[in-house]
Amino acid sequence: MALNTITPQVLAYKPPHPKLEEFVPDKDRALFADPTKAALFAEASAVEEVTPYIGTELKGIQLSKLTDVQKDELALLVAEVRGVKTAPNVVSRQSIDEIGREVLFFSAIKISLLISSISLHRTTVKNIRQHDHFGGEFHADHSFEVNPPSYTMLRMVKSPPSGGDTLFTSLSALFDKLSPWFQKALEGLHARHSHDIRTHPVTGLKILAYNPTFIDRIQELNGQESSHIMAFLREHLLNADDLTVRWKWTPGAVAFWDNRSVVHKALPGGYDVTLREGKRTAIFGERPFFDPDKSESLSERKDRLNAGKKDTATHVSSEPELNN
């Protein structure tokens, strides 16, 4: 029998789970946060920006002790494409799910919205570069879902003394570094699997939603056109060293990132894979969308805010002096 024969058993196959339907998640808790994040930062012994575009380390934070106000501010910090890493947290493996629910995803979000809570073991992966393994390629988790993940948390249970680091790259900054002409050209395109450009619902920033692990072509373009644009986007991502942070893991360290605006990958090679194990928890977010009238690039936001400061300064300097 030929290998490609469609058998009655294939035709009779029934998926084990019902088809996922789009739903509207609860309002993002980052929208309730104080923009200064004063309560969250006061809890930390030190706050370090690892790179200008992505990566913030909060030192001295115990996640299980954060207040609801601090949790909202943590969500905003993550949403602003900073990405957050904390020092090792003392917590049992059994309570990782509770931290994910209570700290990252907050009491206002139903537990039923939990998209995944899995252990990451590298014990069976001897070659992270092999064809069918995606951990060594930049990717966003579960982007094939109708409602892809928003916030994601990864706690490293154990890690090797060296090696096994993770790279995180800002997709907002990746879009911002394109020329204005190229930005405008991409805004009208859609990749088969997800949007090519999307709007972040909290920050309003434009995101280059490029996920090389899953995207195979751009719908509006001919074959060769799509292939060349895809090759350029891959090169653009791989050359984005200034938009990327490399995090070295220690046992108990916790990382948070916004899966809508950040891609990541594990660095391969040179370490005992049996020594690397983590616990990842993520939740469903909104269905990806692009609203050109209510979103802007990082540079556009910077220019708008600077123009506002100049207008304010001009107004103040033009006020007449009062005679005493």
Side-chain angles (χ1 to χ4, degrees), residues 240-304:
D241 294 341
D242 57 329
L243 316 177
T244 299
V245 64
R246 175 172 176 165
W247 277 349
K248 176 176 173 57
W249 294 102
T250 53
V254 180
F256 301 92
W257 68 94
D258 194 319
N259 197 67
R260 298 167 291 197
S261 53
V262 171
V263 288
H264 64 282
K265 75 171 186 174
L267 289 177
Y271 64 93
D272 183 352
V273 296
T274 65
L275 298 179
R276 190 179 192 273
E277 178 185 345
K279 184 75 173 181
R280 187 192 73 196
T281 307
I283 59 164
F284 290 110
E286 74 288 339
R287 184 169 188 159
F289 69 95
F290 176 58
D291 187 341
D293 297 325
K294 295 183 179 180
S295 55
E296 59 188 351
S297 68
L298 281 169
S299 291
E300 289 171 337
R301 171 160 298 177
K302 182 179 179 180
D303 292 342
R304 175 173 58 80

Side-chain angles (χ1 to χ4, degrees), residues 37 41 122 130-131 141-142 172 176 178 181 187 191 205 220 244 256 259 299 307 310 316:
K37 309 171 198 69
F41 290 158
R122 299 303 182 199
Q130 68 192 35
H131 176 70
D141 295 326
H142 286 257
S172 297
D176 189 62
L178 297 171
W181 184 93
E187 286 181 8
L205 289 174
E220 292 85 357
T244 299
F256 301 92
N259 197 67
S299 291
K310 291 179 181 178
V316 170

Side-chain angles (χ1 to χ4, degrees), residues 35-87:
T36 68
K37 309 171 198 69
L40 176 65
F41 290 158
E43 187 70 19
S45 60
V47 179
E48 177 185 347
E49 287 195 357
V50 186
T51 79
Y53 289 100
I54 185 171
T56 298
E57 184 167 3
L58 300 178
K59 298 181 179 180
I61 289 279
Q62 271 297 318
L63 298 174
S64 60
K65 296 181 179 180
L66 294 182
T67 66
D68 289 344
V69 169
Q70 291 168 332
K71 295 171 189 177
D72 289 348
E73 293 175 0
L74 175 61
L76 180 58
L77 183 61
V78 176
E80 290 175 340
V81 202
R82 288 306 312 167
V84 177
K85 179 183 177 184
T86 72

Side-chain angles (χ1 to χ4, degrees), residues 37-233:
K37 309 171 198 69
L40 176 65
F41 290 158
E43 187 70 19
S45 60
V47 179
E48 177 185 347
E49 287 195 357
V50 186
T51 79
Y53 289 100
I54 185 171
T56 298
E57 184 167 3
L58 300 178
K59 298 181 179 180
I61 289 279
Q62 271 297 318
L63 298 174
S64 60
K65 296 181 179 180
L66 294 182
T67 66
D68 289 344
V69 169
Q70 291 168 332
K71 295 171 189 177
D72 289 348
E73 293 175 0
L74 175 61
L76 180 58
L77 183 61
V78 176
E80 290 175 340
V81 202
R82 288 306 312 167
V84 177
K85 179 183 177 184
T86 72
N89 273 248
V90 180
V91 61
S92 67
R93 187 178 307 188
Q94 289 76 17
S95 64
I96 298 300
D97 286 347
E98 283 71 22
I99 286 182
R101 295 177 181 123
E102 297 174 7
V103 177
L104 179 58
F105 309 126
F106 324 111
S107 59
I109 297 181
K110 300 180 180 65
I111 301 305
S112 62
L113 300 188
L114 198 66
I115 188 172
S116 65
S117 182
I118 64 174
S119 291
L120 303 179
H121 297 273
R122 299 303 182 199
T123 55
T124 59
V125 179
K126 301 303 180 183
N127 179 15
I128 198 173
R129 293 182 170 90
Q130 68 192 35
H131 176 70
D132 58 348
H133 183 70
F134 301 121
E137 174 65 280
F138 275 110
H139 62 281
D141 295 326
H142 286 257
S143 59
F144 51 83
E145 301 279 0
V146 179
N147 287 74
S150 52
Y151 302 109
T152 301
M153 179 185 77
L154 175 60
R155 179 181 184 271
M156 198 56 64
V157 177
K158 59 181 180 179
S159 60
S162 63
D165 300 351
T166 301
L167 296 181
F168 296 89
T169 299
S170 166
L171 295 179
S172 297
L174 199 68
F175 176 80
D176 189 62
K177 298 308 175 185
L178 297 171
S179 68
W181 184 93
F182 211 89
Q183 290 177 357
K184 187 60 64 175
L186 289 179
E187 286 181 8
L189 301 179
H190 299 83
R192 193 177 76 165
H193 174 77
S194 66
H195 287 67
D196 205 22
I197 307 297
R198 66 183 291 187
T199 300
H200 196 288
V202 174
T203 65
L205 289 174
K206 295 177 181 178
I207 301 166
L208 179 58
Y210 173 57
N211 193 352
T213 298
F214 298 107
I215 292 174
D216 64 354
R217 67 180 174 87
I218 297 176
Q219 294 179 352
E220 292 85 357
L221 302 182
N222 292 330
Q224 288 297 317
E225 295 169 342
S226 176
S227 296
H228 283 288
I229 294 296
M230 294 281 289
F232 165 75
L233 291 177

